[in-house]
Amino acid sequence: AQRVTQPEKLLSVFKGAPVELKCNYSYSGSPELFWYVQYSRQRLQLLLRHISRESIKGFTADLNKGETSFHLKKPFAQEEDSAMYYCALDNAGGTSYGKLTFGQGTILTVHP
Amino acid sequence: NAGVTQTPKFQVLKTGQSMTLQCAQDMNHNSMYWYRQDPGMGLRLIYYSASEGTTDKGEVPNGYNVSRLNKREFSLRLESAAPSQTSVYFCASRKGYASYGYTFGSGTRLTVV
């Protein structure tokens, strides 16, 4: 069974401070991992996917298979980063058939 | 460029009433999903449809039924609503391979009293 754990329900930082949102997963196959973000009163939207190794809005995330982690990081947080962040795992394993499992979510608040 | 459209946006039901949540996507995606979002529990998969004509149970299917009417539409039905089904419901779709990511609808906020 696949499982995603986000240990922090709430995370508060000040503007300009570094931020790290933790995500750990358990899955026996080859997972595809994502970060989704939900801004206030908006729909979930894809922020990052591990396969593309991209940086979006200053955020990066590295897949660490040894530690089964996919932490989201940003060196200098901005107030507009305040949102709910979900880590998610897809079990498709390179096929076209799969389903997404979400962590419990972390509410990030960036104070001015 | 509508993406994934859900109706209604808000609904209040009395215990025991039934209703259907509608979802439609215009991106020619193969797979569609229904999730519920509850505080402290993240999003949990209710049902999904890998392709037109197929549906499968997710993590929390009890009390729900689904219909994949065609490639565009995937509806979620509550036959006899219970207060435990008070939640925000999200529909999502995916083009094909997981690396493309999922596109979500704006959600339906359902309250069962």
Side-chain angles (χ1 to χ4, degrees):
Chain A
Q2 59 203 66
R3 185 178 177 86
V4 179
T5 303
Q6 293 178 250
E8 303 137 330
K9 284 188 178 180
L10 303 169
L11 186 61
S12 290
V13 300
F14 286 99
K15 177 182 174 181
V19 63
E20 181 179 50
L21 289 81
K22 290 184 167 45
C23 172
N24 289 91
Y25 68 91
S26 63
Y27 181 60
S28 56
S30 297
E32 298 210 34
L33 286 149
F34 305 84
W35 277 98
Y36 282 82
V37 61
Q38 186 179 28
Y39 299 104
S40 180
R41 298 190 183 87
Q42 295 186 27
R43 67 186 69 193
L44 274 83
Q45 51 188 284
L46 178 64
L47 180 64
L48 281 178
R49 43 194 163 189
H50 91 269
I51 199 167
S52 57
R53 295 180 170 275
E54 58 205 341
S55 173
I56 304 293
K57 298 184 179 181
F59 285 98
T60 59
D62 290 319
L63 177 61
N64 186 323
K65 290 188 177 181
E67 296 183 358
T68 59
S69 67
F70 188 56
H71 303 327
L72 183 68
K73 300 177 184 178
K74 184 169 183 176
F76 307 103
Q78 303 299 314
E79 290 178 69
E80 55 264 31
D81 295 329
S82 296
M84 170 76 89
Y85 291 81
Y86 288 102
C87 182
L89 180 155
D90 192 293
N91 67 343
T95 69
S96 61
Y97 175 80
K99 53 187 177 181
L100 202 59
T101 298
F102 286 86
Q104 300 92 326
T106 298
I107 299 173
L108 174 65
T109 303
V110 181
H111 299 284
Chain B
N1 196 15
V4 177
T5 303
Q6 289 182 237
T7 55
K9 292 192 183 305
F10 302 94
Q11 184 71 50
V12 179
L13 289 178
K14 293 183 179 178
T15 298
Q17 286 185 317
S18 62
M19 80 161 294
T20 300
L21 281 64
Q22 306 287 352
C23 175
Q25 52 92 9
D26 60 2
M27 298 170 287
N28 201 36
H29 285 180
N30 293 321
S31 303
M32 297 185 74
Y33 306 80
W34 276 105
Y35 287 89
R36 58 178 290 173
Q37 182 184 39
D38 300 291
M41 306 195 74
L43 279 84
R44 293 179 292 169
L45 183 63
I46 305 171
Y47 269 95
Y48 62 105
S49 172
S51 61
E52 185 179 355
T54 68
T55 60
D56 284 289
K57 295 179 180 179
E59 184 183 353
V60 289
N62 291 344
Y64 305 96
N65 283 303
V66 290
S67 295
R68 183 74 183 267
L69 304 169
N70 47 55
K71 192 170 186 179
R72 290 187 65 249
E73 299 172 288
F74 187 41
S75 62
L76 178 72
R77 183 162 179 83
L78 286 71
E79 292 291 351
S80 179
S84 60
Q85 294 178 305
T86 294
S87 187
V88 181
Y89 291 84
F90 287 99
C91 178
S93 69
R94 188 183 75 180
K95 180 177 180 180
Y97 292 99
S99 56
Y100 292 134
Y102 291 61
T103 301
F104 283 83
S106 57
T108 296
R109 188 172 295 273
L110 176 67
T111 302
V112 183
V113 298

